[in-house]
Amino acid sequence: MTNSLTRTDSSVKKSRYALIWRLMEGQRLRYGMAIGALVLGSCILYLVPLVPQVVLDGVLAADPTKASPFVGRAVTWAGGREFLRGQLWLAGLAVLLLTAASGLLTYLRGRWSTLASEAIARSLRLKLYERLQHLPCAWHDKAATGDTVQRCTSDVETFRQFLSGQVVEIGRAVFMMLVPVPLMLALDPRM
């Protein structure tokens, strides 16, 4: 008996995911772009604290050989220690540009996920309306109109909010677990 219940629960979950996937048709690219903007923006945001670290440990420190290999490579890539000492304003500009780029990508992520969720909610409302229009008159006679309208409205709004915020945030949570580890290994393998 437990086996049949497990299969039923599993098939219900699969059918729910399949339904959500079908409802997202036509908006999957927007969600992909939103997740891409999230990933890129987060990567850029991870770089912001590294700029002062490179300046303090690799340029201004009395003994830059004690800095991590990452800092040494970054100083070399940026033109060398002497060049960066004379051009410290570049570090401030780098922080400013990285933060602005991350902010722009955060804006795009929100815009694209909101546009996608609104389009999906509109499609769902139209499907619900079509379904209600084709129900028999006897069903409408028995059903409380206010309850039906309230139920449809609140369910569609809940689903829209889930799609607008949570779908991209699930991608963000996965990303936040996967990206810091290679970054920490690049900074210092002992971490």
Side-chain angles (χ1 to χ4, degrees):
M1 186 168 186
T2 306
N3 235 355
S4 65
L5 285 176
T6 305
R7 279 190 219 135
T8 305
D9 290 345
S10 175
S11 64
V12 167
K13 287 179 183 177
K14 285 181 183 177
S15 68
R16 286 180 184 165
Y17 293 134
L19 175 63
I20 291 172
W21 186 252
R22 277 196 317 266
L23 286 172
M24 289 175 67
E25 189 173 341
Q27 300 303 318
R28 294 180 196 140
L29 178 63
R30 271 199 183 130
Y31 274 117
M33 291 185 334
I35 291 172
L38 168 90
V39 168
L40 190 57
S42 295
C43 284
I44 291 172
L45 208 51
Y46 281 130
L47 296 176
V48 171
L50 296 178
V51 173
Q53 179 187 1
V54 168
V55 170
L56 293 173
D57 294 347
V59 177
L60 299 178
D63 187 12
T65 58
K66 292 182 180 179
S68 71
F70 171 81
V71 170
R73 287 190 302 267
V75 168
T76 303
W77 178 81
R81 187 170 184 213
E82 294 309 315
F83 172 75
L84 289 175
R85 257 188 196 200
Q87 306 294 327
L88 285 178
W89 62 272
L90 289 174
L93 181 64
V95 168
L96 182 69
L97 292 175
L98 289 171
T99 305
S102 178
L104 175 66
L105 289 167
T106 300
Y107 165 76
L108 291 174
R109 176 201 62 174
R111 178 162 174 77
W112 288 332
S113 66
T114 300
L115 287 172
S117 66
E118 289 295 332
I120 292 168
R122 182 176 186 277
S123 171
L124 187 57
R125 282 187 202 101
L126 292 173
K127 288 176 183 176
L128 275 171
Y129 179 75
E130 185 70 25
R131 175 76 174 140
L132 287 172
Q133 288 293 89
H134 290 92
L135 287 173
C137 284
W139 185 89
H140 287 288
D141 289 342
K142 291 179 196 172
T145 305
D147 289 342
T148 303
V149 170
Q150 173 62 31
R151 180 78 184 259
C152 290
T153 303
S154 68
D155 287 354
V156 169
E157 181 60 20
T158 301
F159 188 64
R160 186 197 64 75
Q161 287 178 349
F162 167 74
L163 290 174
S164 177
Q166 301 310 310
V167 171
V168 175
E169 287 303 315
I170 290 169
R172 180 177 183 266
V174 169
F175 178 75
M176 294 296 280
M177 290 185 332
L178 297 177
V179 169
V181 173
L183 184 60
M184 287 190 311
L185 286 172
L187 289 172
D188 189 353
R190 294 174 293 170
M191 282 190 187

